[in-house]
Amino acid sequence: MFKTSKLLTASFIIMISAAGQASAHAHLTSSVPADKSIVQASPAAVALNFSEELNIRFSGATIAGTDGKRISTGDAKLSDDGKTLTVPLPESLDAGGYVVEWRVLSTDGHKTKGSYGFTVKP
């Protein structure tokens, strides 16, 4: 009986440790414009909010129209808390669909990437 209790305790500790490691990646928690949103006017920037602090040197985003043509952007910046990556859009976006592809490195060394889309209303 005593061995079973120790085994269950050890299994529980291993499960908790593994869950903590899996959640250490920087996940996109929200964005402006939001995924699948339709905005009335061209945004001045795209803001990506993450669950972990980022390393700006290895983090960024590209924006392209649905035709695949890349949009010119300014230099990405991090918020004071290190969790929001802002990518300025120096020129207005035309009406249509856009895809944001992001890649980030969290300060603990984990890389993540993803993409989402939004539409600028005509």
Side-chain angles (χ1 to χ4, degrees):
M1 195 81 160
F2 185 67
K3 285 184 179 183
T4 304
S5 174
K6 278 186 163 181
L7 182 61
L8 286 174
T9 301
S11 297
F12 180 74
I13 291 171
I14 290 169
M15 284 179 16
I16 296 297
S17 296
Q21 290 173 356
S23 66
H25 295 61
H27 297 285
L28 184 66
T29 57
S30 65
S31 61
V32 177
D35 185 23
K36 299 179 185 134
S37 67
I38 298 173
V39 296
Q40 301 297 318
S42 175
V46 170
L48 307 168
N49 303 303
F50 291 89
S51 59
E52 303 284 331
E53 289 184 43
L54 306 177
N55 181 326
I56 189 65
R57 292 182 60 209
F58 302 101
S59 300
T62 59
I63 300 152
T66 52
D67 60 0
K69 184 179 175 189
R70 268 185 140 172
I71 306 301
S72 151
T73 63
D75 293 334
K77 294 181 175 40
L78 275 181
S79 61
D80 289 341
D81 70 357
K83 294 182 180 182
T84 301
L85 183 70
T86 301
V87 180
L89 297 170
E91 298 178 20
S92 291
L93 299 177
D94 294 331
Y98 293 89
V99 175
V100 177
E101 290 188 13
W102 55 266
R103 75 232 167 270
V104 297
L105 177 70
S106 59
T107 55
D108 65 6
H110 292 105
K111 296 178 187 177
T112 53
K113 64 182 179 176
S115 65
Y116 76 94
F118 68 92
T119 302
V120 176
K121 189 174 181 174

